[in-house]
Every structure is written in structure tokens, then in C-alpha cells.
Amino acid sequence: MENLIIEFSDFIWGTPLLILLLGGGFFFMMYSRLMPFRYIAHAVDILRGKYDDPDEAGQINHFQALSTALAATVGMGNISGVAVAITAGGPGAIFWMWVSAALGVSTKFFTGTLAVMFRGKDDRGEVQGGPMYIITEGLGKRWKPMAVFFAVAAMFAVFPVFQSNQLTQVFRDIVLSPNGIHTGFTSDLVTGIVIAICMSVVIFGGIKRIGKVTAGIVPFMVLLYVLVVLYIIFSHTDQLWDAIVLIFTDAFEAEAVLGGAVGIIIITGIKRAAFSNEAGIGTAPLAHGAAKTNEPVREGLVAMLGPIVDTLIVCTMTALAILVTGVWQTSDADGITLTALAFEKAIPVYGPYILILCVLFFALSTLFTFPYYGNKCASYLFGTRSKNIYNTLSVISAVVAAVVSIDVVIAFIDSAYALMAFPNMIAAIILAPHVKRATVSYFSRLKAERKKT
């Protein structure tokens, strides 16, 4: 079964999907004439709450919506996913993560805008957003089979299996084993059960509780991690320039790990970027669709900040920390353990424990957010009464993931993400003219208001 899942993942991440994600992102960038990029400062103002109106439709404010989306993206993909990328594709994979993220900014703008523009209602009459509503409300009811396909794939994609697996691994390798505690199936199972209990406390409270928790956790966890990683990077300044050059040169030579297989390194970079910032995959619109706003373009501007924070900043820092310490060349470790070695080398004794604290916040924030995504999809398919059933299945998946191998977990998530990307990107490309018209209108009104003041 594990081999079958891995083989399917390798198959689905072929040329058509890469063209859809990269080509789609390039289309969005050119079609908008880079307009969103010129208003990053305005996007920050929106995020700060300058335009918040509690009477507008939605459940959470702009900051909480981005925090919820970032809680799902700024997570284990930034710590463990980057290590996996370097292990599997070499330093050059980071360059292709950057390329994917740069295009992902435009993708997130379009999909974030559409998430508010084409919102629907659940069976309780509450306003909801996400690709399945974008498809049915924007393209029409005859497209519903594609919406159902997305929702089914997303229900599996957002099982928090990677987060649980890697949180268990770091706890086992850094806390239990070094202190002489016997590790194995039982210890992993116990860790998985503890993770499941922590998840349950938050996720059964719904999006408002998730939004409040993530809004408090995300800024702190990003700041803590960034400060520690900056210390590691600048304590190895003699290696910094060589690491940066290696990222660029290996992106086109692939000699560090793959012996010249550039195609594989590109796929590795795109896959890990997709897992990290999820641009084009369709999860973020599930959060942004809940934002309190009647201006779709505003939420699109907030959404586009995600790949900037997630991949271009946080992932880059993790990659540089691994490269400047040299642990990627001296160890056979993979995933979170490789990142832990970098922390240990730069900050002896205390480094791994600092990483554990960061990992705890990163993993828990994603563990809280993913079930919300999943139960929105379940509610679309089976009604809102299914939420608690899905949350229960999500909690169980966290326990199961704690005792299986990382390879099958990554392949499972990659496969589900790929299946989500097709309906999400196809719908976004078809509906792009709606976003462009709304963007031109919004910025024209914004300029007019600024002239008045």
C-alpha cells in the first residue's frame, strides 16, 4: 500500500500539473499587469484593520483570516518540508521554491479575491467560501461535479498527518532517545494521542475559536523562529555567500544530490513550495472566504501576502540555516531531524529544544487549522451535521500518522494536493476576468477616495 501511494504521487506530479501551477501563476501575473504587487503597502494597511467593518458579511477579520491561512502554511512545511526538499533535490530545489512562490503571489491574489466574490451558503444559511463555492457560484451548477471532486480530495489532503508525523519524530529524536528513554511504536502512539487531545480542545470550537487562537500564536511563532534562524545564519557569515551561490548554481546543474537531473530538482522544488505556501492548491481560499468584508479585492490583497511570508522569507531562512551549518552534507537525516541538527550545531545543547518549541507552535497551529478546512468540505458534501464526524476522523488520522513512515505521509499529502490543484486552478483561470474587472474598479475607487482626502 505504501509503495502504491508513493508511485501514484510520482505519477500525478507530472508535466500537466507543473504547467497548470507555474503557467497559471504566470498567466495571473501578466493578466493583472503586476497591479497587486504595486499595492503591498495597501495590503498591509488592510491587514492592520484599517478597513475592517464588523457589520460586513463573514465570520473573522482580515488579520484572523490571514493568520488562519498562515497557520496552515507557515508550519511544518517551513521547517521539515525545506529539509525534505534539500535532502531529495539538493540546494537548488530552494530556487525553484522561490520561483513557485513568486508566481504564487499572483495566484493567491486571484483565488483569495474569488473566495469572497463567489461565496455561497451552507445548509444553515451561513456564508461560506472556498473553491467548491467558487466553482458552483461562479461557473454554475453544471460544474458541481468538479466542486465535489475538489471537496473530496481536500478532505483527505488536510488530514494533519504530516504535522503529527513530524512532531512525533522530533519529540522522539530530540527528547526521548537522547535521554535514554526507549522509543518505538508505543512511545509514538502515546505522542500521537497527546497531539490528538490538544487538537480536540480547539477544533471542536469552530472557526471563531480557531481564528482567535491562530491570531495569537502565528505572529509569536514566526517572530521567535525568525530570530533564532537569523542568529544561526549570521553566526556563520563566512558560509552565507557560498550557500546563496550554491542555491542558484545547483538549480540548473543539480550536481549536489541528483547528478545533473535538473527536471527532478524542479519538480522537487515545486512540490515542496506547493506544500509550503499552497498557492494554487485551494486550501487558503477556505480561510479567506470567511473574512468579514464586502470587498473581494481587499481579501485578495491580504491573501497574496501569504507566499511572501511563508516561502520567500521563512523557508529561505530555514534553507540557509541548513546550508551554512553544513549538516545536509554530513548526515543521512531527513525531515525535521536534519533541521534539528542545524540548530544543535549552531546552538549546542539548547538549539534542539528551541526548535522543539518552534515546532510545537508551528505544528499545533496547522493542526488547529486543517480540520477547519476539512469540515468545510465535509459540510459542503454532507451538511453541517458532519462537522464533528470529520473532526473526529481528523483527530484519529493524527494518531495513525504518528506511527507510520514519513515517505508514505509525504506521498499521501502530495497526491491529494495534486488532485485539489486541478479543479481549483481551472476554475480560477476561467473566472480571472471577474477578478480583473473588480481590481480595476477597486483601485479606481481607492484613488478617488485618496484624492478627496
Side-chain angles (χ1 to χ4, degrees):
M1 179 61 73
E2 289 189 2
N3 290 335
L4 186 63
I5 292 173
I6 292 171
E7 288 175 6
F8 179 76
S9 174
D10 293 338
F11 165 76
I12 197 70
W13 276 93
T15 302
L17 182 57
L18 295 181
I19 291 174
L20 187 63
L21 289 175
L22 296 182
F26 184 76
F27 164 75
F28 292 138
M29 183 183 290
M30 294 297 101
Y31 189 61
S32 64
R33 296 180 181 178
L34 303 178
M35 185 178 286
F37 290 87
R38 303 199 297 269
Y39 289 90
I40 290 178
H42 179 58
V44 174
D45 284 339
I46 297 170
L47 188 64
R48 292 192 300 110
K50 186 176 180 179
Y51 300 91
D52 282 357
D53 183 348
D55 296 325
E56 292 184 327
Q59 294 88 41
I60 52 180
N61 62 35
H62 291 293
F63 181 74
Q64 289 174 331
L66 182 63
S67 294
T68 301
L70 283 176
T73 57
V74 181
M76 297 304 291
N78 302 86
I79 300 178
S80 183
V82 172
V84 170
I86 293 174
T87 302
I94 305 305
F95 173 84
W96 295 108
M97 288 183 72
W98 293 341
V99 172
S100 179
L103 298 175
V105 170
S106 297
T107 301
K108 278 286 185 80
F109 171 73
F110 274 77
T111 56
T113 301
L114 289 170
V116 175
M117 184 179 292
F118 294 109
R119 290 196 278 205
K121 292 183 178 181
D122 59 24
D123 57 359
R124 293 182 179 178
E126 190 169 353
V127 173
Q128 300 288 352
M132 54 277 193
Y133 293 102
I134 292 172
I135 293 168
T136 53
E137 301 297 322
L139 297 179
K141 300 299 182 183
R142 69 183 184 278
W143 290 79
K144 188 169 183 177
M146 192 165 79
V148 171
F149 180 87
F150 172 86
V152 172
M155 284 174 58
F156 289 97
V158 296
F159 275 153
V161 290
F162 183 76
Q163 293 71 28
S164 177
N165 177 275
Q166 290 295 274
L167 194 56
T168 301
Q169 180 179 326
V170 73
F171 188 70
R172 179 181 66 240
D173 292 350
I174 296 176
V175 177
L176 300 182
S177 295
N179 289 289
I181 300 174
H182 176 71
T183 59
F185 178 85
T186 302
S187 65
D188 290 348
L189 181 62
V190 171
T191 303
I193 292 172
V194 172
I195 291 170
I197 293 171
C198 293
M199 280 178 61
S200 301
V201 172
V202 175
I203 67 173
F204 284 94
I207 182 56
K208 292 185 178 180
R209 183 183 297 177
I210 293 170
K212 288 179 180 179
V213 172
T214 55
I217 289 178
V218 170
F220 171 76
M221 76 180 189
V222 172
L223 180 62
L224 174 64
Y225 187 71
V226 165
L227 288 176
V228 175
V229 173
L230 281 176
Y231 170 80
I232 295 174
I233 293 171
F234 288 107
S235 64
H236 293 77
T237 51
D238 57 323
Q239 300 294 325
L240 182 57
W241 178 247
D242 289 341
I244 294 172
V245 170
L246 182 60
I247 290 173
F248 283 93
T249 56
D250 194 55
F252 300 96
E253 297 174 358
E255 294 294 341
V257 172
L258 298 170
V262 176
I264 296 177
I265 201 173
I266 294 174
I267 293 173
T268 300
I270 303 305
K271 285 168 70 173
R272 298 283 63 81
F275 180 72
S276 175
N277 62 56
E278 297 170 26
I281 303 301
T283 50
L286 293 166
H288 291 294
K292 276 185 171 292
T293 183
N294 293 331
E295 288 281 6
V297 173
R298 282 184 186 159
E299 195 56 30
L301 290 167
V302 171
M304 78 178 188
L305 297 174
I308 296 173
V309 174
D310 177 271
T311 306
L312 297 181
I313 296 176
V314 182
C315 281
T316 299
M317 289 183 169
T318 302
L320 290 175
I322 292 171
L323 295 177
V324 298
T325 54
V327 294
W328 68 284
Q329 293 175 306
T330 59
S331 172
D332 293 329
D334 62 3
I336 192 67
T337 306
L338 183 62
T339 310
L341 290 174
F343 272 63
E344 184 176 26
K345 185 171 182 179
I347 311 172
V349 182
Y350 301 106
Y353 293 99
I354 295 174
L355 179 63
I356 286 177
L357 182 61
C358 295
V359 165
L360 185 63
F361 282 118
F362 275 54
L364 287 178
S365 65
T366 309
L367 287 165
F368 298 153
T369 307
F370 269 13
Y372 165 67
Y373 289 166
N375 67 47
K376 283 193 74 168
C377 294
S379 297
Y380 175 80
L381 295 171
F382 309 112
T384 51
R385 291 183 179 181
S386 66
K387 285 185 177 181
N388 286 339
I389 297 175
Y390 182 82
N391 283 337
T392 301
L393 292 174
S394 187
V395 168
I396 293 171
S397 77
V399 178
V400 174
V403 297
V404 300
S405 73
I406 183 176
D407 290 338
V408 71
V409 167
I410 291 174
F412 177 83
I413 296 299
D414 282 345
S415 300
Y417 271 24
L419 295 175
M420 292 167 62
F422 283 106
N424 179 60
M425 287 296 289
I426 291 170
I429 291 170
I430 295 173
L431 294 170
H434 293 275
V435 177
K436 187 171 184 178
R437 285 193 293 270
T439 303
V440 171
S441 172
Y442 176 77
F443 287 122
S444 296
R445 287 183 281 118
L446 183 66
K447 288 180 180 178
E449 290 175 7
R450 287 177 174 176
K451 287 182 179 179
K452 290 180 182 179
T453 58

